[in-house]
Amino acid sequence: MSHMNENNPNLDSKYDVDGKPPLKEAIPLGLQHVLAMFAGNVTVPLIIAGALGLSVGEKTFLIQCAMLVAGIATLIQANRIGPVGANLPIVMGTSFGFVPTSIAIGKQFGLSGILGAAFVGGFFEAILGYFLKPLRKYFPPIVTGTVLLTIGLSLLPTGIKYFAGGAGAPDFGSLQNLAIGSLVLVTIIFFNQYFKGIPRMAAILIGIIVGYVVAIFMGKVDFTSVADAAWFSIPTPMAYGMTFHAPAIIAMLILYIVTTVETVGDISGITIGGAGREATDKELSGGVMADGLASSFAAIFNAFPNTSFSQNVGIVSLTGIMSRYVVSVGAGFLILAALVPKLGAVLAVMPQSVLGGAAVVMFAMIATSGIVLVTKDELNQRNLLIVAVALGLGLGLGSVPEALQHLPESVNLIFSGSGMVVSCVIALVLNIILPKEKPRTIANSEAIHAVK
């Protein structure tokens, strides 16, 4: 691709997919991608580690692993190896979608149970990617949107618990915690709405930094573990081992179907937003295969499943810069950060209320992305019924898991860990079995009203 960017004809060909801007441009542009995804990438291990009661040292280690895997996965996604990888400027990171189910699996089978199920599930997603073409018709926007909406809404209670100081914290709900969470939230809104370029894209990171600094002055941060952390270390693979439990694996497989749907949306978003064209089957298939294999690789390195990051799709759409080289430079920063554990320790000792201010926005944004997707399909009676039943049962059972307490333990784990799995299954099944409605024209509906 040596011609000018179709979406922005003023952009030079060095910003095309195969273009290489000079390092003085590639470094800040690559850093911008890292800034946009950094908070999201490290939030997932922090939330899961917090829910499982892991130590600050273990949190630091999990953050280190998450950064290393995200960097390597991004390199593979942006630079296709055989059929694997989309060959597009896609940034990979730890997926939020797996958080509720991972916590449910972790409480029953520990960290090794999460990693074992994620390892198997990654290969399953790679197979889905290989056979993506015939499967695409089962995932219209009404299904993918409903699933995203449920993910966002089911994560909100977790965000609010962090906002108030973290579940089980002695000062849970204190005015100090609520003030820090609110400050982070207000800062994010301010930078997102009143700035342009990098400050806007990095609004979440800026919000977290502001909240963190204020928390330090309030005496809420203990830096002992940062002093103890090493300056350089290579993350150890298989530090927690892997265990394989059928109910945990089945729950993960369903989530991998969900993340396949999400990745297809992100890849389409990049090609439409950045190059003004539809994604090819090769790009979609390669992207989903890379997603799956990167997630299996992540499990070996004690990291949670990886997926394409939607906030980076926004950067490509906004700037029109499609260069894979820029994203590869960003991936280099991630790998470098992973090899310096002190950096992970600084993030691990961050008060949970700081994370909460950002988490509330990030989780709610996932829900709003779902709303945008749902409205791409016609909101007729059939489609509204699919959304209503999937959301009703999904969120309902997700917030009242004891409703399923008399079902077998394996069924219970699959469906009560989060409403997302229930929503996904119901939306998929209803979309297949309910008869399609004929699209009604305006003239048609006017005629019906006239008869009435």
Side-chain angles (χ1 to χ4, degrees), residues 178-195:
L178 296 179
I180 292 170
S182 302
L183 173 69
V184 174
L185 186 60
V186 169
T187 307
I188 291 169
I189 293 168
F190 180 73
F191 275 88
N192 183 270
Q193 287 299 302
Y194 297 104
F195 284 82

Side-chain angles (χ1 to χ4, degrees), residues 114-151:
I114 303 174
L115 297 172
F119 180 74
V120 175
F123 289 108
F124 171 69
E125 188 187 353
I127 294 165
L128 283 182
Y130 188 76
F131 295 106
L132 192 67
K133 209 172 174 182
L135 293 172
R136 269 182 88 174
K137 62 178 185 225
Y138 296 113
F139 298 107
I142 198 75
V143 172
T144 52
T146 303
V147 171
L148 274 179
L149 187 53
T150 314
I151 290 172

Side-chain angles (χ1 to χ4, degrees), residues 198-210:
I198 293 178
R200 183 177 184 177
M201 285 295 160
I204 285 176
L205 192 85
I206 293 166
I208 286 176
I209 291 168
V210 169

Side-chain angles (χ1 to χ4, degrees), residues 425-448:
V425 171
I426 290 173
L428 264 173
V429 171
L430 287 183
N431 183 59
I432 292 166
I433 62 172
L434 293 183
K436 299 265 191 294
E437 280 189 28
K438 285 177 187 154
R440 288 198 312 192
T441 62
I442 294 170
N444 244 345
S445 53
E446 281 176 357
I448 291 164

Side-chain angles (χ1 to χ4, degrees), residues 77 80 83-86 129 267 281-291:
Q77 191 67 278
R80 185 183 288 135
V84 180
I267 295 170
D281 283 331
K282 190 178 181 183
E283 285 167 342
L284 292 171
S285 176
V288 173
M289 285 168 77
D291 240 38

Side-chain angles (χ1 to χ4, degrees), residues 36-48:
M37 63 77 72
F38 201 89
N41 188 44
V42 299
T43 301
V44 175
L46 279 175
I47 289 175
I48 295 174

